[in-house]
Each structure stands twice: as structure tokens, then as C-alpha cells.
């Protein structure tokens, strides 16, 4: 029973230290949009993930700006990114997506911002629990957390691929439909032109015969 309580307490320590925000945003053409998060502790870890799900060539410009307008990282025409960096300053961090390069295509961007606000606390000593058991349990929790993070990243990757492939299929369907319409119009036009030429030929022949 004490082992289960210790396991639950350790799991709570790992979960409660991280705050995150996952959003989906539709970025209009010629639009720049920014999202903000506040960091209370110097040295906190910030995880930033984004992926363009649809629109244009599935790319976007991004920029991460820290306090005092210091650029932490940026990139141009990126399809997706997964970064972890250390917040060296306390204050507001700005995460911006820029679609000003596109004149007509809107883009759907999935992104997540996670901030580890606190240092991980030390486990309280329990009677009947040896340091070896505590260390082994902590290592198991870390492995479990790493595996869950890997699964989460894989799910995001497959979701992104599915959305992009679906968008490609829809774009191909539209092109095939438009091509079929153009082909049908051309066939009707050619048929009408042939009828007009044949009628003009026979009318000219009748006049010459008379």
C-alpha cells in the first residue's frame, strides 16, 4: 500500500510541474499571429511544437521572442518543428506564425507550448522504503514518461501526415474535376465547330452547284 502511495505521489510530482497549451489555429493569407506564455522561473524548460496541417505548400514562418525582444529562434518556410530550450530570462515569451508570404492560401497550424515551471521536488523519505527502491521507482517513472512522450510525438506525426495526405487527395480531386469540365467544354466546342464547318462547306457547295 505504501508502494502504491509512493508511486502516485511521484507521478503527481512529474505531472504537476508542467503546464502546457495545445491549440489549432487557422492562419489567414498575409496574416501574422502571436501567442504568449509567461515564465516565472529562470532556467525553466520550454517545449515548442508546431505542424502545418493544411494550406499552400504546408509551410510557415515562425519566430520565438523572449523578454527584452530577444529572438530565441526563428525559421522560414518550415513545415513543422519540435524544440526544447531553456528560458534564461523571467517574463513573457512570444510565439509567432507568419503567413505574409502567401497572397491567397490560408493555413491550419497545430501547435503546443509546454513550460516546466518548477524544479522537481525530492521524494519524502518513507518508513520501510529503501533509497534503492525509491531510485528504481523514479527511474521507472522517467522511462514511462519518456515512452508516453514518444507515443504522443508519433501520434502528432501520423496526424500531420494524415491531414496532409487528405489535403493532397482533395486538391487532386479538384484538379481532376476541373480538368474534366474543361475537357467536356472543349469536346462540345469542337463538335459544334465541326458541325458549323460541315454546314458551311455544304452550303458553299450548293451555291456553287446552282
Amino acid at each position: 500500500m505504501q508502494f502504491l502511495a509512493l508511486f502516485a505521489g511521484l507521478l503527481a510530482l512529474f505531472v504537476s510541474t508542467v503546464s502546457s497549451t495545445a491549440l489549432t489555429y487557422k492562419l489567414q493569407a498575409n496574416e501574422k499571429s502571436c501567442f504568449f506564455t509567461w515564465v516565472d522561473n529562470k532556467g525553466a524548460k520550454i517545449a515548442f511544437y508546431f505542424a502545418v496541417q493544411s494550406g499552400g505548400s504546408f509551410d510557415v514562418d515562425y519566430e520565438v521572442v523572449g523578454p527584452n525582444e530577444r529572438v530565441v529562434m526563428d525559421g522560414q518556410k518550415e513545415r513543422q518543428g519540435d524544440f526544447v530550450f531553456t528560458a534564461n530570462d523571467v517574463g513573457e515569451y512570444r510565439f509567432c506564425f507568419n503567413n505574409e508570404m502567401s497572397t491567397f492560401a490560408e493555413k491550419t497550424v497545430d501547435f503546443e507550448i509546454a513550460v516546466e515551471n518548477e524544479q522537481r521536488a525530492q521524494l519524502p523519505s518513507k518508513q520501510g522504503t529503501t533509497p534503492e527502491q525509491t531510485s528504481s521507482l523514479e527511474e521507472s517513472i522517467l522511462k514511462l514518461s519518456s515512452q508516453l512522450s514518444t507515443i504522443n510525438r508519433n501520434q502528432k506525426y501520423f496526424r500531420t501526415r494524415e491531414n496532409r495526405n487528405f489535403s493532397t487527395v482533395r486538391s487532386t480531386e479538384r484538379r481532376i474535376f476541373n480538368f474534366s469540365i474543361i475537357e467536356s467544354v472543349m469536346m462540345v466546342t469542337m463538335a459544334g465547330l465541326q458541325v458549323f464547318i460541315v454546314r458551311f462547306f455544304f452550303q458553299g457547295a450548293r451555291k456553287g452547284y446552282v
Side-chain angles (χ1 to χ4, degrees), residues 6-34:
L6 183 62
F7 179 83
L10 182 58
L11 184 60
L13 287 175
F14 279 88
V15 173
S16 61
T17 58
V18 178
S19 61
S20 63
T21 301
L23 295 171
T24 298
Y25 184 77
K26 183 169 288 186
L27 196 65
Q28 302 295 329
N30 297 316
E31 180 186 0
K32 180 179 181 180
S33 186
C34 297

Side-chain angles (χ1 to χ4, degrees), residues 50 60-64 73-78 83 96 98:
F50 74 90
V60 71
D61 298 342
Y62 73 93
E63 184 180 44
V64 180
M73 64 178 64
D74 59 359
Q76 295 182 344
K77 296 183 178 180
E78 297 288 343
F83 313 100
C96 297
N98 191 341

